[in-house]
């Protein structure tokens, strides 16, 4: 179960394609930050012991995150890649204003419908054009 041949870049390359910044330190860590700075992912790729965290993700400012997720070195990279893919997903989420922390509401935008019809709905025919007010022959 823990044999995973997924390379670590498969977990963070999608972040880069979405415009996340990337910084590498000589201590064996690399950090990816969202374009607006309200979240990030840190990957420790070099370690002295296996009990250290390999991945850490957070939402909000790094100094005061609203949530965090941590993955040890034993976590399959495929799982981390699925997690990071969910972070950058553009699929709309239905939430009420009360579900969103006040500090992050400025980063929220309203998504428009994609044009997909709900299952079982029928299209509405367009209204016919109004007759011209002029005379006809």
């Amino acid at each position: 179960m823990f044999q995973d041949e997924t390379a670590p870049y498969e977990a963070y390359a999608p972040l880069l394609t979405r415009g996340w910044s990337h910084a590498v330190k000589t201590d064996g860590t690399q950090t990816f930050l969202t374009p607006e700075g309200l979240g990030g992912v840190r990957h420790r790729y070099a370690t002295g012991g296996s009990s250290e965290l390999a991945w850490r993700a957070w939402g909000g400012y790094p100094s005061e995150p609203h949530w965090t997720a941590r993955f040890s070195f034993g976590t399959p990279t495929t799982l981390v890649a699925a997690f990071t893919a969910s972070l950058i997903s553009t699929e709309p989420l239905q939430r009420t204003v009360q579900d969103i922390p006040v500090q992050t509401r400025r980063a929220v935008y309203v998504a428009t419908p994609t044009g997909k019809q709900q299952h079982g709905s029928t299209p509405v025919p367009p209204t016919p054009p109004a007759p011209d007010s002029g005379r006809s022959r």
Side-chain angles (χ1 to χ4, degrees):
M1 180 167 108
F2 294 106
Q3 299 293 329
D4 189 5
E5 297 179 16
T6 304
Y9 75 85
E10 291 188 37
Y12 59 75
L15 303 175
L16 297 173
T17 62
R18 294 284 185 176
W20 290 41
S21 66
H22 180 225
V24 180
K25 289 188 172 182
T26 58
D27 67 353
T29 61
Q30 55 185 344
T31 303
F32 306 87
L33 297 174
T34 62
E36 66 280 344
L38 291 176
V41 173
R42 180 165 292 134
H43 174 224
R44 180 175 296 281
Y45 57 87
T47 181
S50 62
S51 64
E52 295 182 48
L53 297 173
W55 300 88
R56 178 179 176 264
W58 64 91
Y61 295 105
S63 59
E64 297 180 20
H66 298 292
W67 61 266
T68 60
R70 296 179 175 109
F71 302 94
S72 69
F73 275 96
T75 304
T77 307
T78 302
L79 178 63
V80 179
F83 175 81
T84 57
S86 71
L87 287 177
I88 60 172
S89 174
T90 58
E91 176 127 359
L93 297 174
Q94 185 172 352
R95 296 184 178 178
T96 65
V97 173
Q98 292 81 11
D99 293 334
I100 303 167
V102 174
Q103 302 87 337
T104 58
R105 288 182 188 167
R106 63 185 168 91
V108 175
Y109 65 93
V110 177
T112 58
T114 60
K116 293 181 185 176
Q117 294 180 1
Q118 293 181 357
H119 181 68
S121 64
T122 56
V124 177
T127 56
D132 289 339
S133 60
R135 293 184 172 179
S136 61
R137 292 186 184 198

